[in-house]
Amino acid sequence: MKPLASILLFVITVFCVSAQKHPLSKSDSGIIHHNLEKYEYLLENQDVRSASGALNDVAFVYWNNNHYQEAADYYEKSLKLNEQVSNENGIAMINNNLGMLYADLEKYEQSLDHFTKTLAARRSSKEPVGVISALINMSVVLNNLSRYEESVELLLEALDIARELYDKYQMRSVYGMLSETYEKMGKVDKSLQYFDLYKTFHEEIQRETVKTISKELEQEKIEKQIAEAEKAKKENELLKKEIEIYKKEQEIHVKDSLNQELYAHLTKNEIALKLLENENRLSEMEVAAREQENERLMMDRRNLFMVLGIIIISIIIISALVLINQKRSRRYAASLREKNQSIEEQRLALVEANSVKDRIFSIIAHDLRSPISSLQGFFFVLDEFEVDEELKVALSNVEAQLTSSATLLDNLLVWSKSQIQNAEPVLEPVDVHALVEESFRLLTVQAVKKGITLENHVSTDMRLESDINMLNIVIRNLIQNAIKFTPIDGKVSVGFKEEEGHQLIQVADTGVGMDQDKVAKLFDIRTNRTTEGTSQEKGSGLGLVLCKELIEKVNGLIEVSSKPGTGSVFTLKF
């Protein structure tokens, strides 16, 4: 149920801890410089409120680029200015931002303090939605502090307010957080109860959203059809006026032509007769023009009826499509409910499977690894006593097999967890010199028995940004592998260097080496086959496969340089 938190926008903001800093662009740097100059000028002119606004703009740019500490520092300065002028709304807003930022920085006590102040301000100004938001933000922080009872108390208060408002969105958010909080408390029944309520409200909101969108689409299509009909009608009217104008122009042109002809060639009597003839001819032309106009009007009416028919048919088709869509939506909703039920059943099965898997890991880690560790300690102490030579040889073989089994067990546990849990690395500065020394200490007994010299050439001030646990497993496996394939009186060394912008850790040995065909199969669990060491040490073939998977998780690469008889060099490249 952890994905429920992603539905709450303010919770998303609070949980952005893993975001990486973005380098400031020239534009962002310019904005920061401009606002800092503006802040100095406004402060000199006693405009404290505007000066605090300039600081808020600077903080926002840093926050937008994931520079959380810088953003928090400028908001703190802005908060002091707002307190000077008693700007209650500004104080509440900045306290809310600082609460989110300190949560991003995992400073949860400071985050809780600022959210508490935000809550007090929202209560004072009687903003119920703001109160709900502050209560939920505080519950998120309390969950990170493992103060679950207090978190539940705040969420129940938020739920009462949301119910009074009958705000479905806020009720859905609170139900989701209650489900998640009870899950963290280990109260599965309570968690499932609130998860069902969350799911009910979520589905109802989705249905309402789909219904609203469908109505809007239907109305939009009808309005478009009506607009097209109106446009066609206006075009027809415009065409009609143009025809009338053309007809009048033609009539005037005909009369002028006839009159000019009459006055130029005829006598008065002839002119009179000619005018009479022309009037009769014009009357006939007018009749013909009226008939043409009537025909055009009839055509216009037919066109209008055709457009109206098209509109009516379109409305019928749209209505049918809407009904079909509604039926499909109902079928889809029913199918979605069935799928949700199936998903819930699968989720419960996965919860049970995870529980079984965790118990298996616990059995392997405790009931198998503990006895092996005890036996290793027994063999280490046994070297202090006098033992028959034949028995010593036999025990030495047992010890070698026990060491191989312990390594295999550790590798299996780490590899299985990486495959099943898909654990994300925690990147931090790692003291590589100390890490190599710790691996040498654990593997000294194996090296001494073969007379192999272990050399650490990594400087004590060397630091590498990586996951300490994953890097520790990789380095120990590589050193153990080097000891395994290095003959008596050989040497295994670990060094560090920087090359072409990359940091390189190199584990080198004077062992038997490998050909390129063997190198190509080292890191594939399907093709890698274990080989006996120079003293018949056994292996599983899993160590190098695990090394490749873990080093790639921390954004690194593993490379091999080797030739038969000349030893090998394993390079970790970052």
Side-chain angles (χ1 to χ4, degrees):
M1 280 176 272
K2 289 183 180 178
L4 294 175
S6 63
I7 297 166
L8 313 176
L9 294 180
F10 37 80
V11 176
I12 289 174
T13 307
V14 171
F15 277 103
C16 289
V17 179
S18 62
Q20 299 295 316
K21 282 186 178 181
H22 299 306
L24 293 176
S25 65
K26 288 184 179 180
S27 174
D28 286 337
S29 299
I31 292 171
I32 291 171
H33 181 71
H34 170 73
N35 279 290
L36 289 176
E37 288 183 342
K38 181 180 176 183
Y39 159 74
E40 296 291 344
Y41 172 81
L42 292 169
L43 204 58
E44 287 176 1
N45 290 274
Q46 304 299 316
D47 190 351
V48 176
R49 182 170 293 197
S50 297
S52 73
L55 289 179
N56 290 341
D57 291 339
V58 173
F60 177 79
V61 173
Y62 277 120
W63 193 356
N64 197 44
N65 288 279
N66 300 333
H67 293 245
Y68 299 122
Q69 187 58 60
E70 291 86 345
D73 293 340
Y74 280 103
Y75 273 131
E76 291 282 4
K77 291 177 70 175
S78 178
L79 180 61
K80 291 178 182 178
L81 293 179
N82 279 275
E83 288 172 348
Q84 288 179 21
V85 296
S86 301
N87 181 11
E88 297 299 328
N89 187 55
I91 292 170
M93 179 199 73
I94 295 173
N95 273 318
N96 188 66
N97 290 343
L98 284 168
M100 293 180 180
L101 280 166
Y102 282 125
D104 289 339
L105 293 166
E106 298 184 352
K107 296 179 179 179
Y108 296 117
E109 293 293 346
Q110 289 174 263
S111 173
L112 185 61
D113 179 62
H114 285 289
F115 279 140
T116 303
K117 292 176 182 177
T118 303
L119 177 62
R122 299 309 183 202
R123 290 190 197 277
S124 176
S125 58
K126 296 181 180 179
E127 298 176 38
V129 175
V131 170
I132 294 172
S133 176
L135 289 169
I136 293 178
N137 284 342
M138 289 175 68
S139 75
V140 174
V141 176
L142 288 169
N143 283 350
N144 279 281
L145 293 170
S146 300
R147 291 159 61 177
Y148 302 120
E149 297 291 344
E150 296 175 55
S151 175
V152 169
E153 185 176 349
L154 295 180
L155 288 171
L156 290 176
E157 181 183 352
L159 183 60
D160 289 339
I161 299 171
R163 283 172 172 168
E164 289 177 3
L165 299 173
Y166 197 66
D167 189 331
K168 296 179 182 179
Y169 292 88
Q170 298 292 347
M171 291 167 70
R172 177 183 67 174
S173 300
V174 177
Y175 283 138
M177 281 302 300
L178 280 167
S179 175
E180 184 172 336
T181 303
Y182 276 118
E183 182 192 33
K184 291 179 178 179
M185 294 172 70
K187 297 183 178 181
V188 177
D189 291 338
K190 281 275 189 182
S191 177
L192 291 175
Q193 175 189 340
Y194 283 108
F195 177 77
D196 288 337
L197 290 168
Y198 158 77
K199 188 168 65 173
T200 299
F201 275 80
H202 181 65
E203 291 173 350
E204 184 176 352
I205 290 170
Q206 282 186 321
R207 285 195 297 272
E208 290 179 354
T209 303
V210 171
K211 186 176 180 180
T212 302
I213 292 172
S214 297
K215 285 183 178 179
E216 290 174 353
L217 288 173
E218 180 181 355
Q219 183 64 28
E220 182 181 349
K221 288 180 179 179
I222 293 172
E223 289 175 354
K224 185 176 179 182
Q225 293 290 342
I226 293 173
E228 290 177 353
E230 289 291 334
K231 182 180 177 182
K233 182 179 178 182
K234 289 178 180 178
E235 288 176 350
N236 287 332
E237 290 176 352
L238 183 61
L239 180 62
K240 179 180 176 182
K241 289 180 179 178
E242 289 177 350
I243 292 171
E244 289 177 353
I245 292 170
Y246 175 76
K247 183 184 73 173
K248 289 179 180 179
E249 289 177 347
Q250 289 296 107
E251 289 176 357
I252 292 170
H253 176 72
V254 170
K255 287 181 179 179
D256 287 345
S257 299
L258 291 172
N259 288 334
Q260 288 175 4
E261 183 181 354
L262 286 171
Y263 284 112
H265 303 291
L266 301 177
T267 63
K268 289 183 178 179
N269 292 330
E270 290 172 336
I271 290 172
L273 291 171
K274 196 70 176 177
L275 286 173
L276 185 59
E277 291 176 2
N278 288 340
E279 286 178 358
N280 291 331
R281 191 185 307 164
L282 287 173
S283 297
E284 292 174 358
M285 291 173 64
E286 286 177 357
V287 171
R290 288 195 189 96
E291 289 177 353
Q292 290 179 356
E293 183 179 355
N294 288 333
E295 289 178 1
R296 290 191 186 95
L297 288 174
M298 291 297 293
M299 186 176 293
D300 290 344
R301 289 192 185 96
R302 285 196 295 271
N303 289 338
L304 181 61
F305 287 139
M306 185 180 297
V307 171
L308 290 174
I310 291 172
I311 292 173
I312 293 170
I313 292 171
S314 298
I315 292 172
I316 293 171
I317 292 172
I318 291 170
S319 301
L321 290 174
V322 170
L323 290 173
I324 292 170
N325 186 55
Q326 288 177 347
K327 290 181 179 179
R328 287 179 179 173
S329 297
R330 285 195 290 270
R331 287 199 299 271
Y332 175 75
S335 175
L336 188 60
R337 284 194 295 272
E338 293 176 1
K339 289 180 179 178
N340 285 338
Q341 180 64 31
S342 175
I343 290 170
E344 179 63 15
E345 292 173 357
Q346 292 175 9
R347 187 192 68 79
L348 293 174
L350 284 173
V351 169
E352 180 63 26
N354 278 335
S355 176
V356 173
K357 176 260 300 177
D358 289 338
R359 288 197 296 271
I360 291 172
F361 276 131
S362 176
I363 291 169
I364 294 173
H366 183 270
D367 294 352
L368 292 181
R369 191 159 54 182
S370 294
I372 289 177
S373 298
S374 299
L375 284 171
Q376 285 180 306
F378 166 75
F379 280 110
F380 183 77
V381 174
L382 192 64
D383 290 340
E384 303 296 326
F385 297 93
E386 293 184 3
V387 181
D388 181 79
E389 190 63 31
E390 292 182 0
L391 180 59
K392 183 178 288 188
V393 172
L395 290 175
S396 177
N397 291 332
V398 173
E399 182 182 6
Q401 292 179 0
L402 185 63
T403 301
S404 176
S405 298
T407 301
L408 173 60
L409 180 60
D410 285 339
N411 286 341
L412 279 172
L413 283 172
V414 173
W415 182 77
S416 299
K417 287 184 178 180
S418 72
Q419 294 295 309
I420 297 173
Q421 298 175 352
N422 196 23
E424 291 298 325
V426 178
L427 301 181
E428 57 184 335
V430 178
D431 184 344
V432 180
H433 178 87
L435 214 61
V436 174
E437 285 295 315
E438 174 65 15
S439 294
F440 279 178
R441 186 184 66 79
L442 294 172
L443 300 171
T444 297
V445 175
Q446 297 178 36
V448 169
K449 286 188 175 181
K450 296 181 72 172
I452 293 173
T453 304
L454 301 178
E455 295 181 358
N456 184 357
H457 297 303
V458 181
S459 62
T460 56
D461 60 349
M462 165 56 196
R463 295 293 183 274
L464 180 67
E465 193 78 11
S466 187
D467 184 293
I468 188 170
N469 295 318
M470 293 182 180
L471 187 60
N472 183 29
I473 292 167
V474 172
I475 289 177
R476 192 195 322 156
N477 269 280
L478 292 180
I479 294 172
Q480 188 171 17
N481 194 66
I483 294 171
K484 176 181 175 182
F485 292 105
T486 298
I488 294 172
D489 297 329
K491 182 175 72 174
V492 174
S493 62
V494 183
F496 169 82
K497 65 178 181 179
E498 293 188 2
E499 184 179 276
E500 298 180 354
H502 294 283
Q503 293 176 305
L504 309 179
I505 298 174
Q506 294 184 316
V507 179
D509 61 62
T510 59
V512 297
M514 299 171 283
D515 57 29
Q516 289 305 306
D517 183 58
K518 177 64 176 176
V519 170
K521 298 177 180 178
L522 281 178
F523 302 110
D524 191 335
I525 196 170
R526 297 168 297 180
T527 57
N528 187 13
R529 297 292 180 267
T530 181
T531 307
E532 287 189 349
T534 55
S535 295
Q536 286 73 52
E537 297 99 326
K538 301 293 185 181
S540 64
L542 180 62
L544 291 177
V545 175
L546 178 63
C547 287
K548 183 176 184 295
E549 288 193 8
L550 294 183
I551 209 66
E552 288 177 353
K553 277 182 176 287
V554 294
N555 303 320
L557 295 173
I558 185 168
E559 298 175 348
V560 185
S561 174
S562 182
K563 289 183 179 180
T566 61
S568 303
V569 179
F570 284 78
T571 301
L572 304 179
K573 188 175 183 179
F574 298 90

